[in-house]
Amino acid sequence: MAQPKGMVVLAYSGGLDTSCILVWLKEQGYDVVAYLANIGQKEDFEAARKKALALGAKKVYIEDISREFVEEFIWPAVQANALYEDRYLLGTALARPCIARKLVEIAQREGAQFVAHGATGKGNDQVRFELTCYALCPKIKVLAPWRLPEFYQRFPGRRELMDYAKKHGIPVPVTPQTPWSMDENLMHISYEAGILENPKVIDHGCPAGVAATGLRGTRGCRQPGDPWGRGRRGVPVKVTNAGDGATRCSALELFVYLNDIAGKHGVGRIDIVENRFIGMKSRGIYETPAGTILYHAHLDIEAFTMDREVRKIKQGLALKFSELVYNGFWHSPECEFLRQCIGRSQEVVVGTVRLSVFKGQVYILGRESPRSLYNEELVRLKEYHRLQSKVTVKQDE
């Protein structure tokens, strides 16, 4: 039996990896507190709680952080029109600092010296988790088993993990594993790794008809969705369906509603190769329905209300903001400064946008704003006088 090493709060998903990590940490002499974040994924949280306790967790926290995820992380990204490398709407990158912030909070509440996560050593998430933890609690110690030789040498592949799970009574999936990994939250679903590591492999919809946002299963929807969106200070405050008059006003409700509308029409699915923070290129497939609607709606009303030169500066700030978020620097002083600057720019971004979603596309139909810089009278009068001057010249001839 290993010597007691103290308490660790584990970011626990309930899957094979973190379940094995929970048991392995116990073997090493740690008391384990499991923390599972409800960030909008479809999951049986009570079953996950029972599983963690059965595996020996001293305590299990299941924290619903969906509302703060939308209001404190997604909304600043909407204000920024944040895009990483021109295409990725940062669904995972925004979720990780939100999850890690609660991880640190629980560790402090429990008096734990350690936190742990199941991110691998070749992805972005290890950086995002750890930078957040160190920024919020510099004295915390982070355990990353997939970077520890004593762990990854013992578990060089999935077969060894499965054998370990069976030996220690850890429930293992009885269905065949999908040939890729999937991560889900309110903002998006991502697919990567496995067969998708070959950039020539055609996606064919993974998994067809199963995606939580409904993109693949309902792309054949024949009637366009036609919502009105009203925003203030660059974030939505009300969404109304022009067809049935249904209205959503709270941040979480309207975001879920937009996910449903856009998902039915296959909006927001991309297949890209991106540059990871650690220096390698990675292929990812992302479904971001509500985020895609809001990106287009915000872009439109911002162009309608914001001064041209101010907007040029703000676009540069948004580019830097996107890189910082992707690389895990949400809680850095420079990212906090950028959020304040971008937020200040949004004071004039007020108005209503009408749009339609149909067959994977978002169409802007119209907009109005009390802060509009578009002067219809000026445009009409300038054209009138231009034509009048031509008539006068001809008459003088």
Side-chain angles (χ1 to χ4, degrees), residues 132-186:
T132 295
C133 292
Y134 291 137
L136 298 180
C137 185
K139 294 182 180 179
I140 203 77
K141 296 176 182 176
V142 179
L143 301 176
W146 283 115
R147 291 207 311 269
L148 298 175
E150 59 267 36
F151 186 85
Y152 67 70
Q153 289 174 3
R154 184 174 178 181
F155 305 108
R158 186 171 185 83
R159 186 181 64 186
E160 289 78 12
L161 274 179
M162 295 285 281
D163 290 343
Y164 182 82
K166 290 175 182 177
K167 178 181 176 182
H168 291 84
I170 300 171
V172 297
V174 294
T175 55
Q177 290 297 306
T178 54
W180 52 73
S181 68
M182 185 180 92
D183 182 69
E184 177 190 356
N185 61 50
L186 266 176

